[in-house]
Amino acid sequence: MAVTSNETDFPADLRTLVLSPADYLAGGTKTLRFHLTNSDPQTALYVKLSGTADWLSLAPQETALAPGEKQAIAVTVRVDAARTQLQAGGPPAAPITLLSQRLGGAGSSPLPTMSAMVYVRLPVAICPSCERTLDADLSDGASIPAFCPFCFERLRPCPICSTPNTWRAQQCIADSSHIVRGNADWPVLGGDSGHTGSRDLNSLGLTTVREGANVALTRRWSYPSVPPSRAENVLFWSAPAAAYGMVAAAAATAEGDAHIYAFQSDTGAPLWDPYPLADPVYPERGGVTIHEGQLYAATVEGLLICADALRGTRLWERTLEGKVYGAPVASTPEGPLLVPLVTPNGGGLAQIGLAQGTGVSLTPLEGPVMTAPAYADGRVLVHDDSGVLSCLALETGQLLWRANGLGQFQAAPLVYEGKVYSATNTGKVFAHELQTGKELWQVEVTSAVLAGTPACDGSLLYLPGEDGIHLVSAALGRAVRRYPTRRPVRSSPVVLAGALLFGVTDGDVYGAAPGRTMERLYETGTIGSQIIAAPALADGAVFLTSTNGVLYSLSLG
Ligand SMILES: [Zn+2]
Ligand SMILES: [Zn+2]
């Protein structure tokens, strides 16, 4: 028999029963209650209840409810046994499984069995990071402290069972079927190590975007809240990255006073004190990268920093032999970190270990590497300004193949499903096979400079250029459409379920739903301001920076 779970047919009036701190201290036994309701006016509801913890007992353990009927379920907690289990390392919550089935009238077959859970929580919360007991008032089921007072891990209660989870967790540690944080992160330039710049609606947790229509953008928060009026207060931002419900970006004043800022993505509240940098991260193509709980940034002068992403504390710093203009990119969960370099003799690609920042390899390249590298399937792709796309082996940096004579680049390489796309300053675009380096196609889409890293959603490439956005078919390299702009497009576009969004050097954000005309979606409203750095798309918002000194969070609707 099929077992389904249907949220609208949840038969209980509570999802979590919490033992009060007084009852927990008193010991003995305590009986809690919740109610089952059959809200359907036609059919009877049969429910079978079972608890897994041996400190719980239920009465009744099965029941049949007539249409519209309500019934109390008594849950008896043997408090001393529960405490003993908790002290032995057991979880502070135990599930009660409700298997229910609707029984139709005579002659109709029974409907599928549904499964649901009600949790019994002890008034104790355990830090998921250091496993110490938190002083939490759980009497209302939700008063988990914002962070652990012992290890400063940021905590987020599970929306279903209220168990404290780390901000990084996507599934609840008490029950992996509980989604604590469902939205996809955008931890690096272009949203992933291939810089694809595209997402579907589900991955953003959006359901309200109408198909075939442009998204609406409304300002959720900004930092600072209004553009600074004094030039010395203007911040020059790098590209933001968003993960775990936070957004981070580096910024510097005209005098070179540089910091990394981190904000809570929904409210814009600062997460930690700005992290000081010895010199700026390059404001246009540079950026921060968030990876496995850590935040990485490289300054123009080659200072590479690794900080705890959610605490803002320094883990290590090291100085690289060269200047850095593009964003560092993380490869696999274990590393290494890929850092593009400009050296006196040309350029290079440094591969750096994540744990202590010790070097894994350095591959010298003929030309300066001005943009971020890309990573996919054990291969590192690098554009250098001698006109070469190089494919290097991860860790060793060994050259696997190279394609010459492409031209100079403002764009990072883009990797999507086994193909590498290179947009050049001469207006040409190239596609190569990731495995072999074989050229698949090349096309001259414009005589203008392709001035930023493109996006790809599998069917189309979206190329920012000095004469607008060019759409090219990913399979054949055929130019499909151009959205002309009056000012150059240098910022990377993002694609949300086929709908295009991009910032322009007139300071405004434009968009076009698939096959539709372009519309202006948001105006930063500062004369002379430009959007140049790549945006991030996460948590139902697009995060972008403008040369008016402001980092914007624009919610998508
Ligand atoms: Zn802790
Ligand atoms: Zn949970």
Side-chain angles (χ1 to χ4, degrees):
M1 185 179 294
V3 176
T4 62
S5 171
N6 185 344
E7 283 300 303
T8 60
D9 217 3
F10 189 71
D13 60 346
L14 289 172
R15 287 183 183 274
T16 308
L17 287 165
V18 186
L19 193 70
S20 76
D23 289 332
Y24 184 68
L25 288 175
T29 61
K30 172 71 188 174
T31 299
L32 307 170
R33 274 185 183 78
F34 68 97
H35 293 87
L36 296 176
T37 307
N38 180 6
S39 52
D40 188 89
Q42 305 294 336
T43 57
L45 182 68
Y46 169 75
V47 185
K48 190 171 190 313
L49 302 99
S50 55
T52 49
D54 57 13
W55 44 268
L56 278 185
S57 52
L58 302 165
Q61 296 184 351
E62 55 187 304
T63 181
L65 299 162
E69 195 186 345
K70 183 175 179 178
Q71 182 172 0
I73 303 294
V75 180
T76 302
V77 178
R78 283 183 295 284
V79 178
D80 299 312
R83 191 188 290 127
T84 305
Q85 259 201 19
L86 187 72
Q87 283 159 356
I96 298 167
T97 305
L98 312 178
L99 282 175
S100 60
Q101 189 167 31
R102 292 207 167 276
L103 308 169
S108 66
S109 54
L111 294 161
T113 304
M114 289 171 295
S115 169
M117 301 271 200
V118 169
Y119 284 82
V120 181
R121 275 200 67 87
L122 304 174
V124 174
I126 309 283
C127 171
S129 178
C130 69
E131 299 186 337
R132 292 211 239 184
T133 301
L134 302 170
D135 185 18
D137 174 14
L138 295 178
S139 51
D140 64 356
S143 300
I144 303 289
F147 50 85
C148 170
F150 307 108
C151 72
F152 301 103
E153 186 74 29
R154 285 187 181 273
L155 305 174
R156 180 178 282 135
C158 171
I160 296 164
C161 70
S162 72
T163 297
N165 279 266
T166 74
W167 269 33
R168 287 178 57 193
Q170 295 191 289
Q171 297 162 332
C172 176
I173 48 165
D175 183 330
S176 62
S177 72
H178 300 171
I179 304 301
V180 180
R181 194 170 63 79
N183 299 350
D185 291 333
W186 192 280
V188 65
L189 173 80
D192 51 56
S193 62
H195 313 308
T196 58
S198 61
R199 290 283 185 268
D200 58 29
L201 291 178
N202 287 342
S203 68
L204 288 171
L206 293 174
T207 51
T208 55
V209 176
R210 287 170 300 142
E211 220 168 284
N214 277 331
V215 295
L217 294 180
T218 45
R219 183 176 159 284
R220 192 192 267 170
W221 55 265
S222 68
Y223 182 87
S225 53
V226 293
S229 52
R230 295 164 69 92
E232 60 265 38
N233 295 336
V234 172
L235 293 169
F236 295 91
W237 291 96
S238 68
Y244 324 137
M246 69 179 281
V247 57
T253 63
E255 262 112 63
D257 190 15
H259 292 87
I260 298 170
Y261 296 80
F263 307 94
Q264 200 166 320
S265 65
D266 52 356
T267 62
L271 270 196
W272 26 265
D273 287 341
Y275 183 104
L277 297 170
D279 68 288
V281 170
Y282 192 66
E284 298 182 357
R285 289 186 295 274
V288 300
T289 292
I290 303 169
H291 184 66
E292 300 291 314
Q294 300 183 3
L295 183 147
Y296 302 91
T299 71
V300 173
E301 295 301 327
L303 178 72
L304 178 63
I305 71 107
C306 171
D308 183 295
L310 290 166
R311 296 174 177 83
T313 48
R314 178 190 142 135
L315 296 174
W316 53 258
E317 295 187 359
R318 70 165 287 189
T319 305
L320 303 170
E321 298 293 320
K323 298 199 179 211
V324 182
Y325 296 94
V329 172
S331 53
T332 69
E334 299 76 37
L337 186 76
L338 313 170
V339 187
L341 291 176
V342 175
T343 61
N345 304 321
L349 191 278
Q351 303 200 32
I352 309 290
L354 299 183
Q356 292 302 324
T358 46
V360 176
S361 67
L362 172 65
T363 307
L365 297 162
E366 274 171 41
V369 183
M370 301 297 292
T371 64
Y375 170 76
D377 298 334
R379 284 152 190 259
V380 180
L381 290 308
V382 192
H383 282 160
D384 79 71
D385 273 347
S386 70
V388 176
L389 164 64
S390 300
C391 178
L392 312 176
L394 190 68
E395 293 187 357
T396 65
Q398 183 201 340
L399 181 70
L400 300 175
W401 54 261
R402 53 184 270 165
N404 301 315
L406 274 56
Q408 296 188 316
F409 306 97
Q410 316 272 333
L414 188 157
V415 187
Y416 196 107
E417 289 180 353
K419 291 177 187 158
V420 188
Y421 301 98
S422 301
T424 69
N425 286 2
T426 59
K428 271 190 173 178
V429 187
F430 297 82
H432 292 90
E433 208 171 73
L434 174 64
Q435 287 300 317
T436 63
K438 180 185 155 207
E439 185 180 298
L440 299 168
W441 51 258
Q442 58 168 284
V443 62
E444 185 169 354
V445 289
T446 173
S447 56
V449 174
L450 293 172
T453 301
C456 182
D457 63 0
S459 62
L460 291 170
L461 278 171
Y462 302 81
L463 299 136
E466 297 206 325
D467 56 352
I469 294 264
H470 297 265
L471 274 53
V472 169
S473 76
L476 302 171
R478 197 171 289 149
V480 172
R481 181 162 191 164
R482 175 169 76 104
Y483 289 107
T485 54
R486 289 201 301 189
R487 302 273 306 161
V489 189
R490 298 177 63 196
S491 174
S492 295
V494 294
V495 182
L496 173 60
L500 170 67
L501 283 175
F502 57 100
V504 179
T505 54
D506 63 2
D508 295 341
V509 184
Y510 296 79
R516 303 291 286 267
T517 53
M518 187 177 92
E519 280 179 60
R520 193 193 314 253
L521 302 180
Y522 189 80
E523 299 178 37
T524 56
T526 310
I527 292 164
S529 83
Q530 304 190 13
I531 296 168
I532 299 173
L537 193 60
D539 301 330
V542 57
F543 302 97
L544 55 86
T545 62
S546 166
T547 58
N548 66 4
V550 179
L551 167 68
Y552 292 90
S553 165
L554 305 177
S555 58
L556 300 154

